[in-house]
Amino acid sequence: MHFVINRDYFVHSVQHVSKAISSRTTIPILTGIKIVADHEGVTLTGSDSDISIECFIPIEEEEKQLVEIIQEGSIVLQAKVFTEIVKKLPNDKIELVVQDQFSTTLRSGSSVFNLNGLDPEEYPRLPQIEEENTFQIQNDLLKNLIRQTVFAVSTAETRPILTGVNWQVEDDQLICTATDSHRLAMRKTIIEPASNELNFQNVVIPGKSLNELSKIIEDNNDLLTIIVTENQILFKFKNLLFFSRLLDGNYPATKNMIPQQSKTEIILETKGFQQAIERALLLSRDGKNNVVNFKTLEDEQIEITSVTPEIGRVTEKVNTKQLSGEELRISFNGKNIIDALKIVDSSEIKISFTGAMSPFLVKPVDNENSLHLFSPVRTY
Amino acid sequence: MHFVINRDYFVHSVQHVSKAISSRTTIPILTGIKIVADHEGVTLTGSDSDISIECFIPIEEEEKQLVEIIQEGSIVLQAKVFTEIVKKLPNDKIELVVQDQFSTTLRSGSSVFNLNGLDPEEYPRLPQIEEENTFQIQNDLLKNLIRQTVFAVSTAETRPILTGVNWQVEDDQLICTATDSHRLAMRKTIIEPASNELNFQNVVIPGKSLNELSKIIEDNNDLLTIIVTENQILFKFKNLLFFSRLLDGNYPATKNMIPQQSKTEIILETKGFQQAIERALLLSRDGKNNVVNFKTLEDEQIEITSVTPEIGRVTEKVNTKQLSGEELRISFNGKNIIDALKIVDSSEIKISFTGAMSPFLVKPVDNENSLHLFSPVRTY
């Protein structure tokens, strides 16, 4: 193998595929990046066997030459040191030559690296994906769907299925749900399926995969294609493929958990409410499990309090836009509320309570696309 | 005690004094910030008994009222939570009232904090400083003196005196020296002493103190006053006093360590040399102690190499501006060189070698105010 490549494109692609590579893998070849040069360009692959990322750099893009292939071939190079090397190379072109025994020379300006490569034949094949359940979505919308749900997945390994985000498609609607059993985040959107028969219920994508994917998605409205199979999901971008394994097991039915009525309803400004809870949290951390107390007052006001006996107490009054229904005292995990308020893209929210012992709903006032559900905390 | 204070000024001062406070102190009162209100304004103090910082907020500054004192008095409040609280308060004014039993109320907008204070009588007195050895210096110059020396102090506790920076004054010249016994950084400057008799040799300021001080110094050319006593140094800024304990013991005589002749001299561009060593370091880390190899070539070039057998090797050629004297092969700790090159404010440096077994000098070409000395590493 022998090629000369544009440094910036190469660095960019190497950084993308290295996101899939874990230094803790037990399969030595997976600590490497696979590099393949053929007549169309250079393809890089990184994988930790849960996530695989494949990046392609074409010979030419928009009439600019990106790669000159002198001899086709392939090699696997240690990802960690290779990523750092290409970032620091001095010239805007990089020459890569593979000699005998996978020995690889990297040249750029007056800098020469001789690296020990690994046999590319040992690198596992990427999953074969049949294009069955396929739909398209805009980059920035996908990024939002992830951002507004993935924070709510469970980090505990006791119920592995809850470490993922559930995706369902019903009537051309994609519904994304995450819960750690104390809080739930749901976000839905209309999609345009490639065929009439798109329909799935129990697709659960690991939260870790979505977090890595989110770092790669560009903030534009280009369309990408998503392909779902029984145990894999593939996100197809221009020049980049992102594969993730799906989680095994049945995701809990969350639809029935969402209360349909309410006894107390409040509309208030997202930001003022968020800041009041953030202050209350200052006295409800260490050993207090982030529990803050909430109560309705007269004059459409609410009060938020918390106490750490050794340090002191805090009392926050917040004006609401509207307060209706029964009086209420309730306690909840303030940090969970903050996590949700941070990703609500709405300046006002509506909170619907069904008594001090029941889960309550937080929704943006200006759309029906998302909701957050929280369990109260018993404080006696 | 009862006062109303401008939030931004208060937050700024609280953050300054909290830099002196360690959560690992064994003296409980020192986990707090002491707050004193009198007819002139509000004074805050933080200390870990090595470093003490005192910040003053006057009643009025530039015809703007900063504090309204309603009742004089004092209190000590837990630094960690107090610092976070004042940062998050909603209003641009903060009211602070101390009631019985040191119970303290903090009010801002619709937010009310009740905090358990501590008895201010228990707070230790700051050191009394006699104004004996006094001189003045500009803020930005002091910041540079620190930046260009403190990185070279020892982090090992085996020779505690080397964890500090030595300051000497001789003939109106301040000489700052730091060494960990493998590398040495020296920076000097002309100062204007307040009296004719300013003269000290063995003042050693803990590196930690200088690092904290450096974060507080503003980047301007205002003058500050420095007062040196037998076991304390005081930096007097406008509205801020910074006290540091000095280290006990005799600082080694470093003057004789600096070679006066050389056998090989090289002038080269700082940045290109730095980047070549940074690349070489990529293959000389893990278990290789950052050792890189250096040799002179023909045609006024030098070569830098390093090897990690499992990964590979790197060869860097660098053009010099001038190369004279004997041929040379030498090995050194590349990371130490990088640390020094990062803080050299000069686009070209001169390196003077006295053979492969002797320490070598790195100096900026355009001034005589600073030098760096490095021991070579034996590689056989």
Side-chain angles (χ1 to χ4, degrees), chain A residues 3 5-18 33 35 44 57 77-96 104-108 111 113 115, chain B residues 279 282:
Chain A
F3 62 81
I5 195 161
N6 174 294
R7 192 193 58 173
D8 293 346
Y9 275 75
F10 197 49
V11 169
H12 195 67
S13 298
V14 166
Q15 287 177 325
H16 275 340
V17 302
S18 67
I33 292 179
I35 305 174
L44 305 174
I57 303 163
L77 295 171
Q78 289 300 325
K80 197 168 159 241
V81 68
F82 183 68
T83 307
E84 291 184 71
I85 289 170
V86 293
K87 267 198 292 188
K88 285 193 176 340
L89 286 174
N91 202 296
D92 58 1
K93 284 194 175 172
I94 298 174
E95 182 181 3
L96 196 149
T104 304
T105 303
L106 215 58
R107 250 185 230 105
S108 179
S111 178
F113 280 84
L115 300 175
Chain B
R279 284 189 293 269
L282 294 175

Side-chain angles (χ1 to χ4, degrees), chain A residues 118-129:
Chain A
L118 298 167
D119 184 357
E121 292 301 314
E122 280 181 28
Y123 200 86
R125 309 243 162 256
L126 289 190
Q128 295 300 306
I129 300 282

